[in-house]
Amino acid sequence: MNGTDTLFWRLSGSALTRPHVTWAWLLTSTPDWESFVRACEGAVGRLPRLTHRVADSPMRTGPPSWTADPDFRLSRHVHRVRLPAPGGLRELLDMVEWRISAVFDPLHPPWEITLVEDYETDRAAVVLKWHHSLADAVTIVAAVRRLMENPPPAVWPNAAPPAPGPGRPTEMSHRDCSGIPRVTGALAEAARTAVRSSARVLSGSGPARDGARSAGRTVSHLLPWASPSPLLAKRSSAIDCGMMTVSLPELKAAGKSAGVSVTSAYVSAVLGAFHRYHAHHGLVRATVPVLVPVSFREAHETGAGNLIAGVLIAGPIGDMSARSRMVSVHTAVAEARGSVARGVCTVMADLGALVPEPLYRHLAPALLRRIDVVVTSVPGLPGNAQVAGSRVVNAVPWAPRGGAAANISMASHGDSCGIGTNLDPAAITDARLFHRFLEDSFEETLGCARPPAGPPRSARTGADG
């Protein structure tokens, strides 16, 4: 594992920071089960990492490694369930929450895929879930796109077959810390040495000083500096999922009307919802700390693993127009992204990988809860995507909160954007109200490029009504 992969794996130690990524594909019809299993077999043949488990060190410090699972069985990872009546979107979201909460068995590869039948009577859905240490979303999406655009045969030529193991998928129903003082002592001494070296570099001149200052700017955008909102202060391991869909062409047009990217328009609409939520509770805030993941992956870098970092911005949630908020977000993200050096992030992640897992379990939740919102955007699927012969009509991601009050995630599918909301009900106590504000904010944002129309299609959490 690289340093970032290791950090994600270490976050598994706490339910507050567990880094599970989930994606739901809504299908036009229910695919044949045997065809679905064959497609999954082909995916495993093409992606050998799917047959590997994590081998951690005895002290759980330093990067773990991937090793072949000698007991790999496809049936551990490929499942089929039937939704209870009435089989609507609420029941599907309940199923998504259930799978997000489930812990991966560390003795086996950390991924699963579930065919969900009886959704809206004659339709189906597929719920894919993986541990973030396995790969970033860009890698998974690229692999899924290739598989969907080129349906795999029963056996892939020139590909390593899955590890042997009995059984095929079936239906399923609805540590040692003795070395810590020595390790932490070494880390403390390394920190003192780094401080002394940094002082010498910063007081000098030339490339070393410039590089150190660049590193300092990078660190400043990786650590929380905006104060968190007291309204969103509480945390729990509970999950409250929702989803909505907006038009990708309209979102692009809204961004263009303000001279910003579609991502900035999306982040702005999310923050507009938090402005409304705070105003409803009588709390005036100018900003909240927002984490925006960014990818360092180049076009030629197609392997597994994570090549990402997160930049922190002071997300504007004050009283302003949608166009002004888009410009403010775009400026903040561009400044933060331009100050983050890939090399520095890589070194920091590699150093972080040396921290023992027991320390992560206690320290990570306390540090990461100072982030209020995570806003994620990943590439989506082509409009003609299919799963075992059944057409995908929508694709919605749910990324991990990582200790924040909420993670709002977006992925495109054809001309639509599927938006998944992963809320902490301890922080956002009225999910139905928040989703109404999210609809209103997207409507205002899209209205920058068109006359106001009907609200985006949505499904809110909570009871029907």
Side-chain angles (χ1 to χ4, degrees):
M1 288 187 181
N2 65 31
T4 306
D5 301 342
T6 302
L7 297 182
F8 280 126
W9 183 250
R10 296 280 182 257
L11 291 176
S12 303
S14 169
L16 288 176
T17 59
R18 200 168 285 141
H20 296 166
V21 186
T22 306
W23 210 6
W25 309 323
L26 309 186
L27 311 179
T28 55
S29 60
T30 302
D32 174 72
W33 173 241
E34 292 299 320
S35 298
F36 182 76
V37 171
R38 284 196 299 271
C40 294
E41 289 174 338
V44 170
R46 177 176 284 188
L47 304 171
R49 175 62 60 81
L50 297 180
T51 67
H52 287 61
R53 64 182 179 89
V54 176
D56 214 336
S57 62
M59 285 292 298
R60 288 175 290 175
T61 181
S65 59
W66 293 99
T67 183
D69 179 4
D71 301 315
F72 178 81
R73 287 205 312 265
L74 197 65
S75 58
R76 282 199 182 98
H77 307 274
V78 182
H79 310 293
R80 175 167 62 168
V81 300
R82 291 180 173 87
L83 288 183
L89 201 48
R90 180 62 264 167
E91 287 71 34
L92 178 62
L93 290 172
D94 289 342
M95 193 270 176
V96 168
E97 292 172 0
W98 170 46
R99 296 321 306 153
I100 291 177
S101 301
V103 180
F104 285 115
D105 185 341
L107 297 179
H108 302 292
W111 67 274
E112 66 176 41
I113 188 168
T114 304
L115 176 62
V116 183
E117 299 180 346
D118 293 344
Y119 169 57
E120 294 188 349
T121 306
D122 57 351
R123 297 175 61 190
V126 171
V127 177
L128 171 66
K129 171 188 163 187
W130 73 92
H131 195 286
H132 216 319
S133 62
L134 185 67
D136 55 40
V138 174
T139 299
I140 295 294
V141 169
V144 168
R145 286 174 70 107
R146 290 196 302 270
L147 292 170
M148 287 182 166
E149 293 167 359
N150 301 284
V155 179
W156 283 102
N158 303 320
R168 284 172 60 83
T170 58
E171 291 188 21
M172 69 175 182
S173 63
H174 188 157
R175 303 176 172 173
D176 180 15
C177 303
S178 59
I180 289 179
R182 174 170 48 82
V183 174
T184 53
L187 289 173
E189 179 57 32
R192 287 191 290 269
T193 300
V195 170
R196 289 192 295 266
S197 300
S198 298
R200 288 194 297 268
V201 169
L202 291 173
S203 62
S205 60
R209 181 199 60 188
D210 295 339
R213 290 180 174 175
S214 174
R217 289 192 297 270
T218 295
V219 173
S220 71
H221 286 289
L222 297 173
L223 299 175
W225 57 277
S227 63
S229 167
L231 181 62
L232 309 175
K234 293 183 179 180
R235 294 291 186 272
S236 73
S237 60
I239 295 172
D240 199 335
C241 289
M243 59 177 283
M244 62 183 295
T245 305
V246 299
S247 165
L248 178 58
E250 286 192 299
L251 192 58
K252 287 181 176 178
K256 186 177 181 180
S257 72
V260 305
S261 66
V262 64
T263 300
S264 295
Y266 156 62
V267 175
S268 172
V270 170
L271 294 181
F274 281 95
H275 160 68
R276 288 167 166 81
Y277 192 77
H278 280 74
H280 175 82
H281 287 87
L283 185 61
V284 177
R285 294 278 300 186
T287 63
V288 292
V290 176
L291 182 72
V292 182
V294 296
S295 175
F296 293 129
R297 190 175 295 274
E298 302 290 344
H300 66 278
E301 295 174 314
T302 58
N306 291 268
L307 293 175
I308 60 173
V311 297
L312 273 156
I313 66 169
I317 65 166
D319 188 9
M320 62 182 72
S321 68
R323 183 172 280 104
S324 296
R325 198 183 314 277
M326 283 191 279
V327 172
S328 180
V329 166
H330 186 78
T331 301
V333 172
E335 179 184 350
R337 181 64 178 85
S339 299
V340 174
R342 172 174 173 170
V344 175
C345 291
T346 300
V347 171
M348 291 177 60
D350 290 343
L351 290 174
L354 300 176
V355 178
E357 188 273 341
L359 288 182
Y360 263 102
R361 185 165 57 246
H362 295 290
L363 295 178
L367 293 174
L368 295 176
R369 68 180 298 161
R370 293 186 58 80
I371 300 169
D372 282 340
V373 188
V374 184
V375 187
T376 306
S377 177
V378 298
L381 303 176
N384 61 349
Q386 296 187 2
V387 175
S390 181
R391 188 168 63 87
V392 179
V393 294
N394 198 3
V396 182
W398 287 271
R401 296 196 303 262
N407 187 316
I408 316 298
S409 307
M410 180 181 75
S412 61
H413 174 67
D415 284 339
S416 298
C417 290
I419 298 172
T421 60
N422 180 351
L423 309 180
D424 185 340
I428 301 176
T429 57
D430 193 337
R432 179 178 293 276
L433 179 67
F434 176 80
H435 281 88
R436 193 188 82 197
F437 289 152
L438 190 62
E439 292 179 0
D440 293 345
S441 184
F442 268 97
E443 179 63 17
E444 181 187 11
T445 301
L446 300 181
C448 291
R450 62 167 171 80
R457 299 183 301 279
S458 69
R460 295 189 292 271
T461 57
D464 295 333

